[in-house]
Structures are given as structure tokens and as C-alpha cells.
Amino acid sequence: LYLIYLSIPSFYKNDLHIKLVGDLQNSFNQDLSIPKNIKYSIIPRPHFIYSDVKFLDKDETKISNFAEIKKLKIFISQKNLFNKQKIKIKFIVIEDGNFYFNKNNLKKLNFIFNSKINSDILIKKSNLFYKNADKELVTLLSSKDIKIEYDKKNQRNSIVLIGKIFNTSIKIQSFIDFISKKNNTNIFLKDLKLKIKNESIYKKEYSSYNQIKSFRTSLNSNIKINENRLYIKSNESNFQQIPLNYKID
């Protein structure tokens, strides 16, 4: 009987398409182009599957693709499966995606810094590209996993990325407190024995403590951006264990 209950959404999956698209657009803060090729599976847990999904990048003159995704899975709560209007997304999985960033559409990620993430997101085996001013594509990184989720215990958004940048292994972990506007980020490049730590506050004025460590060198900086002016000051830095002081304003 329980398997029959879990199978109920398969009977109304096509009717649910509009609601799922709306929920996804809210989760990603993004316009989507999703073909109505929806499938449903209860293994390993109830979820809907879409193929060949596109995130749209709209500006005043044209519409282009911000992302192209081969497979998108929407895992749902097992409660209220009798009522299609009460279907609730638990988490989203993206597989084999290509994301194309430029200086304008990077703003699409602001929702991570400004509000609670609606649904946890796992991005698997995907590539991130950046298009420069000359419209040339530069590979930022290829990811094994990117986890974007809401940390209920600490009431903050969390991002963990594991992948490669220019064939060098990289791990990025970031915790974003969107209420206090604080962000703690750690970046580790294993092959280069390089660690980068950033603790920032991004209110009306941006300020941060930034640490770059590699071998016996540690560059520690206090950074401020005020009215489009950049201020950088050393904070007990050293180069090969030799004290280093610097200041930019």
C-alpha cells in the first residue's frame, strides 16, 4: 500500500508542471525554460526528472542561456501526496550542467547573500564558465559537487564546492549569514598548498579580514571599500617568515 501511495504523483505529474516550474524559479531566482518532458520515480525516494533544462539570461536586447542542464531532479516530501497543490520540494539535484557567467548575470547569485535558500541544491559534474568583455569564454572550474543549502542550526546559508580549477584540485566552503550580512569563506588548493580565508561584512560599506597562506608565507590584510575607494592594510603579515608591512589607500 505504501508503494501505491508513493506512486500517486505519477498520475498528475503533467498537471504539476506549472507549479514545479514556479517553485524552481523561486528557488533559483531565475527564469527557466523547461520542456514538458517530466518523469517520476520513487527510487531512491520520490522525485520528478526533467531533461535539457535551460536557465534564461534576459537583458534589454536579447535572451541567451545562462545555464544548460542535461538532467534536473526535484525530490519531494512524502507528505500530502494525495493533494498535488501541497507537493513540497525537499531538495534539487542538477547533473551535467554548464553555467555561463558575465559581469551582469553574477547579480543573479545575490539571493544567496540576501535571503534564506528555499530548497537545498546539489550540483554534480558541472562546469562554470566566465565570458569576458570580448565575449571570450574562460573556464572557471569544473565541479564534482556543489552543495548549496540552508543551515537550520546556525540559521545561515552554506556553500561547499569540490572540483578543479585549471586542473588543480580546489575546495571552497562558505557560510553566509544573510541577517547580520557576514560571510566566512575558506578556499584550499591542495596541490599548491595554498589556503585563503576571508571574513567579511557586506553592509552599506564592505570590510573584511583576508588571509593567504602558502608554505612559510602569510599575507594578512584588512580590506575596506568606501565610496568606490579601496583600502588595504597589512595585519601581521610575513614573507618567508620575514615581517611584511604594506598599505594601500
Side-chain angles (χ1 to χ4, degrees), residues 3 6 20 24 49 56 71 76 81-82 90 100 108 130 141 156-157 160-161 173 175 191 209 223-224 235:
L3 289 178
L6 293 180
L20 288 175
L24 286 171
I49 307 165
L56 302 180
K71 189 172 289 186
I76 60 174
L81 295 185
F82 287 112
K90 290 199 72 175
Y100 305 97
K108 296 180 184 292
Y130 183 79
L141 56 86
R156 61 187 181 181
N157 293 334
V160 178
L161 181 152
Q173 190 172 38
F175 299 105
D191 298 340
Y209 170 76
I223 301 173
K224 260 189 181 182
N235 186 344

Side-chain angles (χ1 to χ4, degrees), residues 56-249:
L56 302 180
D57 187 6
K58 297 182 179 180
D59 61 29
E60 295 179 355
T61 57
K62 63 178 181 177
I63 299 175
S64 56
N65 294 335
F66 167 59
E68 298 169 345
I69 297 163
K70 286 189 177 179
K71 189 172 289 186
L72 187 149
K73 298 179 180 178
I74 307 164
F75 289 83
I76 60 174
S77 170
Q78 296 182 23
K79 297 179 181 179
N80 299 313
L81 295 185
F82 287 112
N83 189 335
K84 60 186 177 184
Q85 297 304 322
K86 292 186 178 181
I87 292 292
K88 185 177 180 181
I89 295 176
K90 290 199 72 175
F91 63 95
I92 300 162
V93 177
I94 290 173
E95 296 179 0
D96 297 313
N98 289 321
F99 295 82
Y100 305 97
F101 293 97
N102 57 49
K103 66 178 183 179
N104 294 319
N105 64 26
L106 279 172
K107 296 176 183 178
K108 296 180 184 292
L109 301 179
N110 284 349
F111 73 97
I112 297 175
F113 298 92
N114 295 329
S115 60
K116 172 185 171 182
I117 292 172
N118 291 326
S119 303
D120 293 349
I121 302 166
L122 173 61
I123 302 173
K124 303 171 67 175
K125 296 184 293 184
S126 296
N127 300 302
L128 278 66
F129 300 92
Y130 183 79
K131 186 179 289 187
N132 61 24
D134 297 323
K135 297 185 178 181
E136 298 172 330
L137 280 181
V138 179
T139 304
L140 284 182
L141 56 86
S142 58
S143 69
K144 178 183 176 184
D145 286 321
I146 304 175
K147 294 180 182 178
I148 305 172
E149 57 189 6
Y150 178 65
D151 180 354
K152 293 180 181 177
K153 182 179 179 181
N154 297 295
Q155 296 186 324
R156 61 187 181 181
N157 293 334
S158 168
I159 302 174
V160 178
L161 181 152
I162 298 174
K164 287 193 172 184
I165 181 168
F166 304 119
N167 293 320
T168 300
S169 296
I170 185 171
K171 180 177 181 179
I172 302 174
Q173 190 172 38
S174 187
F175 299 105
I176 302 151
D177 187 330
F178 52 85
I179 297 174
S180 64
K181 302 298 183 184
K182 293 181 180 179
N183 178 15
N184 292 331
T185 299
N186 292 284
I187 302 172
F188 181 47
L189 290 92
K190 184 178 179 181
D191 298 340
L192 301 177
K193 293 182 170 29
L194 176 64
K195 294 181 180 179
I196 301 173
K197 178 180 180 180
N198 177 273
E199 299 173 355
S200 61
I201 300 174
Y202 54 98
K203 295 183 179 179
K204 290 184 178 180
E205 296 178 356
Y206 174 87
S207 63
S208 71
Y209 170 76
N210 199 67
Q211 182 182 71
I212 302 173
K213 294 182 72 173
S214 181
F215 298 99
R216 297 187 301 167
T217 294
S218 180
L219 302 178
N220 311 312
S221 306
N222 293 321
I223 301 173
K224 260 189 181 182
I225 300 177
N226 184 8
E227 296 180 353
N228 295 323
R229 291 189 63 182
L230 175 65
Y231 304 86
I232 302 175
K233 186 177 180 181
S234 171
N235 186 344
E236 297 183 356
S237 298
N238 67 77
F239 179 76
Q240 299 293 301
Q241 295 188 332
I242 300 172
L244 178 66
N245 291 309
Y246 51 85
K247 184 178 179 182
I248 301 174
D249 58 20

Side-chain angles (χ1 to χ4, degrees), residues 44-56:
R45 55 182 69 91
H47 65 282
F48 295 98
I49 307 165
Y50 283 104
S51 300
D52 301 320
V53 174
K54 293 180 174 62
F55 289 15
L56 302 180

